[in-house]
Amino acid sequence: MTLPPESRPHGIVVAVDGSPMSREAAEWAAREASLRHATLTIVHAEAAEEMAYWLDVPITEEYMAARDRMAEKVITDALDVVNVTLTGTREIPVRTSILRGSKMPALIDMSKDADMMVVGCRGLHALPGLLLGSTSSSLVHHAHCPVAVIHGDHGLPSDRLTTAPVVVGVDGSPASELAVALAFDEASRRGVDLVAVHTWMTLADFVLPVTDVEMENQADEELAQRLAGNCERYPDVTVRRVIGQDNPIHRLVEESREAQLLVVGSHGRGGFAGLLLGSVSWAVVQAARVPVIVARQS
């Protein structure tokens, strides 16, 4: 099957570990790959042998065989989920891979040849109280492509999941521009509206005094400029602009409650040089209850 030229070899990569969140991630990744007509790669990282020493488990042939059987079962179960999800949709290539050795370096390296990495917000062995597991946290900080973090407690009724809009945060930074382009593409593929959110925190930082009306007009004009090129590129996407003085984290999370997907940049306009993920993006990934795509690039 010929893949679109923009699709990378691994296509949509979903990391699975047998957890409930892993199942949610596999379902979402299958639908995403179908929308893009891209390869779906299901990957499971086996526990490294060092973990056995840490858990005081002897590395025997029985241990190795049991580990391999567990890995195969995780992949098989994920394949079953994917096959059910793709029933009635167009055929796409589906591949599987079992990674051995250090998990995170292998997944991050795989992201170099992926269109998107997909992961559940928490894995099988996540500690109680953690909002994100180690795998999802590492990928949103270090991956070389967009990363989708899937939450399993979406509050929308099932009949709204396919018609609800896509929400994107816009602040004028290069990472935000990448997020906007990705959000337009996602909304177009889904045939839904796009909600573009642009907020400012306070008027105290301006050198000259400005009124709320002046700031609102300026923000509206700036947002329109940031959206213009993609509006021309995606004339099928209806855009609703949301502007105002508000905490961007609060506004994005609130708007996402009635959305099917939230897209943010990996680094905002006010971020510090050297940070791998902006504070707004990091907070939104943890607080939102819908799938969140962090628009990373190599």
Side-chain angles (χ1 to χ4, degrees):
M1 180 177 294
T2 302
L3 296 178
E6 69 272 12
S7 183
R8 298 181 182 181
H10 295 315
I12 305 298
V13 178
V14 57
V16 297
D17 64 2
S19 66
M21 286 295 94
S22 168
R23 178 186 179 91
E24 298 278 352
E27 290 181 1
W28 192 92
R31 290 192 292 269
E32 182 71 11
S34 180
L35 284 172
R36 293 168 174 256
H37 205 201
T39 294
L40 174 64
T41 301
I42 305 170
V43 59
H44 172 67
E46 280 191 333
E49 293 181 6
E50 292 82 356
M51 286 296 295
Y53 291 114
W54 185 73
L55 296 171
D56 197 24
V57 176
I59 300 179
T60 62
E61 290 186 3
E62 289 78 10
Y63 168 82
M64 302 293 284
R67 186 185 66 171
D68 290 344
R69 287 195 299 271
M70 177 61 69
E72 292 292 347
K73 184 178 187 307
V74 169
I75 290 291
T76 299
D77 290 347
L79 268 174
D80 290 341
V81 170
V82 166
N83 288 333
V84 170
T85 304
L86 292 177
T87 300
T89 66
R90 59 186 177 187
E91 180 183 352
I92 60 170
V94 178
R95 301 170 183 165
T96 63
S97 177
I98 296 177
L99 304 179
R100 294 175 172 85
S102 299
K103 175 171 66 173
M104 289 319 307
L107 287 174
I108 292 169
D109 187 62
M110 179 172 274
S111 73
K112 296 175 182 177
D113 292 313
D115 298 327
M116 182 181 294
M117 302 293 289
V118 182
V119 65
C121 61
R122 294 178 62 193
L124 191 62
H125 302 295
L127 296 175
L130 288 181
L131 296 175
L132 289 183
S134 59
T135 300
S136 54
S137 178
S138 295
L139 285 175
V140 297
H141 281 88
H142 299 287
H144 298 276
C145 66
V147 178
V149 179
I150 311 303
H151 299 270
D153 52 354
H154 199 306
L156 285 180
S158 57
D159 61 339
R160 282 275 290 143
L161 288 177
T162 57
T163 60
V166 172
V167 174
V168 61
V170 186
D171 68 5
S173 66
S176 169
E177 293 177 5
L178 179 63
V180 169
L182 179 56
F184 264 94
D185 186 66
E186 293 287 347
S188 178
R189 292 179 189 276
R190 288 166 167 74
V192 299
D193 295 347
L194 177 65
V195 178
V197 178
H198 180 49
T199 67
W200 64 92
M201 288 286 288
T202 176
L203 301 179
D205 295 329
F206 291 89
V207 176
L208 299 176
V210 294
T211 66
D212 288 338
V213 173
E214 289 173 325
M215 192 62 228
E216 185 172 336
N217 291 337
Q218 179 181 329
D220 188 55
E221 181 179 349
E222 180 178 352
L223 181 56
Q225 292 174 352
R226 299 299 179 187
L227 300 175
N230 285 290
C231 285
E232 295 176 2
R233 194 172 298 113
Y234 296 94
D236 58 314
V237 176
T238 300
V239 180
R240 177 169 69 88
R241 303 204 296 261
V242 175
I243 58 173
Q245 184 177 350
D246 197 357
N247 182 304
I249 300 168
H250 172 265
R251 179 49 51 198
L252 285 169
V253 172
E254 284 299 309
E255 291 293 336
S256 74
R257 296 185 190 280
E258 297 297 324
Q260 62 172 288
L261 176 64
L262 174 58
V263 184
V264 293
S266 60
H267 198 78
R269 182 164 55 183
F272 293 99
L275 288 180
L276 296 173
L277 191 69
S279 59
V280 171
S281 301
W282 178 237
V284 165
V285 169
Q286 297 185 80
R289 287 295 158 268
V290 300
V292 179
I293 297 178
V294 178
R296 297 193 60 83
Q297 64 181 352
S298 180

